[in-house]
Amino acid sequence: MLWLAPLFPIIAALLLYRFWATSPSRLAIAWSAAAVVFLELAIVWFAEASGWSGVLNWNRHLQLGIGFTPLTFLAALVVPVVAAPIVFFAAAHEEPERLGRLIALLVGFVGVMQLIILARDLLSLLIAWEIAGAFSWLLIGHRFQDPERGRNASQAFLVTRAGDLGLYLAAFVAFQQAGNLAYAGLDQMSPVAASLFAAGVTVAAFSKSAQLPFSPWLFAAMSGPASVSALLHAATMVAAGVVLLMQLQPMLADVSWFGPVLMTVGLATALAGGLVAAASPHAKRLLAGSTSAHYGLMFVAIGAGYPVVALLHFALHALMKAPLFMVAGIAGHQAGSYNLANIARVRLPDSLIYTSAIAALALAGLFPLGAAWTKEGVVSAAGVVAPWLAIVVMLAGGLSAVYAARFQWSLFLRHKEKQPGNSSTSGPAWQQHGPLYVLAVLVLSGSVLWLPTVNRELGAWLASSFPGIRLWEFVVSMVLVLLGLFAGYRMVTTELGQGGRRLSAGRDFLARWLFLPQLAQRFVVMPVDALSRRLATLDDKAVDAVVRAGARFALWLASVGVRSGESLSDLLPRGGARFGLALAATSSRCLEWLSDQLPEAPSRLSGLAGHQIRRLQSGMLHHYYSLMAAGVGVFVLTLLFAIIKGGLL
């Protein structure tokens, strides 16, 4: 029965696609799509309460299995909670062209992500992993008429696919060791096999969750619509790697290098992503760098041995990042550009100021918002390993405050100077703003995590403990957050005073993500594209040549068959016809004579008999006496013959 949880959104998207593609009402599309996602939330809740599980036999060695753990149950709840406002916003905000296709893909992606979360074996995970990559390519390249968007979608797809090869390595090692792909037996692998398995899983997780050196694919992903960016960055695509490692961390904790590598790469990504976001002049790219940075903090928590902290930060990050992308989408549409300098010149609705401010302050990690509690949890988790690691995480948190303030002030510092831009392709404002209000309320409700009773009960429910927040860590962290907020404000005022002057070389280097996108384009996308072209040429010259030769031979053989077939097919009916005519002529002659003789012969015989009988009628008595004597003689002879034959004499 649990298979209903991942399959329901996918099946519903297929069934409702025609309605979404043809409905003239944005509101009808929005409510129906959100209703599907809310039903998914209800299914997940009911399934866990009822103890549902799902197992399908692939063959005698492999099974597809899904199930709940406390961690996966919470993650499975987060996905529809965040996705429902996003699909509602998408129906109200995005361009009407191919809107039904976009909504269907967004809703279907919810089901794919649920399969990644609930998978209890590597085979189920691989299936969902591949589908997620395909869905992301379709969503990023939604406006496929633009060649640049198509190239960006391919770049994001190929870069993540390069890392996905690690998951195949992990599956191969697991099957070789255990004879199956279930998570349950992964802790029984030999040390060497466990190390290879951990390496494959780690690379796959780094690529999906945009960690160095895979981070720049997020810039390419910004070619998708704002709602696509919100879903991919908040609750689906980018979350896949973290969700996977959260589940496998207890099984891989004994691999000596596993934790240090996660923390090292996570910290490097958090710092690099923070610098990129702080320097970026593009609103969505700023948020993309922020996503990479915060997922880096989640990897730090997992590497330090606290996957539950990573899970909660994932949940709070999803709630705060989705509305920020929506605000960026509205602002970019009004300004006709995602450039922060251009956005700063248009007036945006005042109601968005407070909504965006709540999410931005949560992104900055300011007390008493819930995201600040989870960020401090990462600081404390790193401090358990080494105090200096906690300080580095605090610096990453300070950078979060810089780019959060820069985003907020760039959008609203001069919001009263001009009127909003054109909004002809969007639905009513309340339909676009309503989802943001819902998410802002959820972000504020996360503040209850600071209550000791709440986080104690939450830890008991998740069967895990949280690292204690030390006073000095909290104080230093909050000071860095406040300094970061001020630094972000100063950056915006300076940029506005310079009138959007060209970026300096240093900031341009950071804003281009250390030129990693160009490296990815040169060393991943271009080689794959060149190889594809060579294979296409080989296909044309070799494979197609064989096919064409076979086709020509088949045509020649067919022509020969046609000619010989015509001769044979004509000979048979002609011979049959001649035989039939001869038979008809013969039968005509014979049957005609026979048909004439049958009635004529009896008539002639009867005529002859009549003539002879008539001769006996002479009228003379001696003729009659002679006949009588002859008859008596015949009778006597017949009687004697019978007596002799019967042996009486």
Side-chain angles (χ1 to χ4, degrees), residues 395-436:
L395 292 174
L399 285 173
S400 296
V402 173
Y403 56 69
R406 186 162 173 264
F407 177 86
Q408 180 68 18
W409 287 114
S410 293
L411 266 62
F412 299 110
L413 188 61
R414 295 167 57 182
H415 72 281
K416 292 184 178 180
E417 292 189 5
K418 289 190 177 181
Q419 294 298 316
N422 179 35
S423 58
S424 59
T425 61
S426 300
W430 74 266
Q431 294 183 25
Q432 299 183 63
H433 300 172
L436 280 74

Side-chain angles (χ1 to χ4, degrees), residues 578-604:
R578 286 195 292 268
F579 175 74
L581 290 173
L583 184 62
T586 302
S587 62
S588 175
R589 291 192 296 270
C590 295
L591 292 176
E592 184 177 354
W593 175 84
L594 182 61
S595 62
D596 289 344
Q597 292 301 316
L598 286 175
E600 289 178 359
S603 64
R604 286 197 298 269

Side-chain angles (χ1 to χ4, degrees), residues 8-9 12-13 15-40 83-84 87-89 91-92 99-100 103-104 107 431:
F8 172 73
L15 295 177
L16 292 173
Y17 168 70
R18 181 60 57 188
F19 169 73
W20 291 334
T22 58
S23 175
S25 171
R26 285 180 177 267
L27 189 59
I29 299 174
W31 279 116
S32 59
V36 170
V37 181
F38 275 124
L39 282 174
E40 166 66 9
V87 297
F88 193 99
F89 171 82
L99 181 60
I103 298 300
V107 173
Q431 294 183 25

Side-chain angles (χ1 to χ4, degrees), residues 121-145:
D121 63 273
L122 291 169
L123 182 57
S124 302
L125 178 69
L126 275 169
I127 293 173
W129 206 266
E130 294 291 346
I131 299 174
F135 268 55
S136 66
W137 176 73
L138 291 170
L139 287 168
I140 295 169
H142 175 65
R143 302 187 184 102
F144 52 82
Q145 296 90 340

Side-chain angles (χ1 to χ4, degrees), residues 489-512:
Y489 170 77
R490 290 295 300 164
M491 288 180 67
V492 173
T493 56
T494 302
E495 290 168 358
L496 293 177
Q498 294 173 348
R501 194 174 62 185
R502 182 180 177 85
L503 295 179
S504 64
R507 283 192 61 186
D508 184 62
F509 176 72
L510 292 175
R512 293 176 182 269

Side-chain angles (χ1 to χ4, degrees), residues 431-613:
Q431 294 183 25
Q432 299 183 63
H433 300 172
L436 280 74
Y437 304 150
V438 171
L439 290 168
V441 171
L442 293 175
V443 171
L444 287 173
S445 66
S447 301
V448 299
L449 288 172
W450 286 98
L451 300 175
T453 303
V454 172
N455 58 62
R456 186 166 52 248
E457 292 295 327
L458 185 60
W461 177 55
L462 295 173
S464 183
S465 60
F466 304 112
I469 298 177
R470 301 174 182 85
L471 180 60
W472 74 270
E473 292 175 346
F474 174 76
V475 171
V476 173
S477 184
M478 287 301 110
V479 169
L480 290 174
V481 166
L482 293 174
L483 290 175
L485 291 173
F486 179 73
Y489 170 77
R490 290 295 300 164
M491 288 180 67
V492 173
T493 56
T494 302
E495 290 168 358
L496 293 177
Q498 294 173 348
R501 194 174 62 185
R502 182 180 177 85
L503 295 179
S504 64
R507 283 192 61 186
D508 184 62
F509 176 72
L510 292 175
R512 293 176 182 269
W513 213 315
L514 319 180
F515 289 101
L516 286 177
Q518 288 77 6
L519 294 177
Q521 181 73 22
R522 182 177 296 275
F523 293 107
V524 177
V525 177
M526 291 177 63
V528 171
D529 184 62
L531 178 61
S532 300
R533 294 178 185 276
R534 298 292 186 276
L535 291 175
T537 303
L538 177 64
D539 179 77
D540 291 339
K541 292 183 177 179
V543 180
D544 286 358
V546 174
V547 175
R548 285 193 296 269
R552 286 195 294 269
F553 175 74
L555 290 173
W556 173 81
L557 188 62
S559 65
V560 172
V562 166
R563 292 193 297 271
S564 60
E566 285 179 353
S567 301
L568 290 174
S569 60
D570 289 349
L571 181 61
L572 290 175
R574 282 199 298 268
R578 286 195 292 268
F579 175 74
L581 290 173
L583 184 62
T586 302
S587 62
S588 175
R589 291 192 296 270
C590 295
L591 292 176
E592 184 177 354
W593 175 84
L594 182 61
S595 62
D596 289 344
Q597 292 301 316
L598 286 175
E600 289 178 359
S603 64
R604 286 197 298 269
L605 289 174
S606 62
L608 180 62
H611 176 71
Q612 295 299 328
I613 292 171

